[in-house]
Amino acid sequence: MPTSGLVVTAERPEALRLILEMLANEPAVEAAQPIGVRVPLVVETPDKATDKQVWEWLHQLPGVTAVDVAFIYLGESIPPVSQPLEAFS
């Protein structure tokens, strides 16, 4: 399950109301409170194809000038650490 941390940037503060309404209607998106004209988001989708569709949809929202990536986790396994963290101190 892909999980993305994104930041949507609005063209101007007045565009935020409509952007937030549209984000609230998308079940894959959870939006935080805006900071200036930027809205931090978490996007969780069932697969990479749906993740790409949401990414493209975000770019097409009226008033959005940019969508920046903070992180992306594709749900791949991470191998266990072979040594305890205390060994590195």
Side-chain angles (χ1 to χ4, degrees):
M1 172 183 290
T3 302
S4 303
L6 308 174
V7 179
V8 169
T9 303
E11 185 175 22
R12 58 189 189 288
E14 298 79 22
L16 284 172
R17 185 182 59 75
L18 178 59
I19 292 170
L20 290 170
E21 286 177 13
M22 296 180 85
L23 293 173
N25 289 320
E26 172 52 56
V29 175
E30 185 172 333
Q33 290 295 318
I35 302 168
V37 293
R38 292 178 175 84
V39 183
L41 307 176
V42 173
V43 177
E44 291 186 319
T45 56
D47 53 52
K48 292 178 187 178
T50 307
D51 194 64
K52 183 178 179 183
Q53 289 173 342
V54 172
W55 172 261
E56 291 170 354
W57 173 75
L58 289 169
H59 279 88
Q60 296 172 6
L61 291 178
V64 169
T65 59
V67 180
D68 297 303
V69 176
F71 73 89
I72 295 178
Y73 175 70
L74 298 175
E76 298 169 355
S77 299
I78 299 172
V81 176
S82 59
Q83 296 179 347
L85 293 177
E86 296 86 43
F88 295 103
S89 1

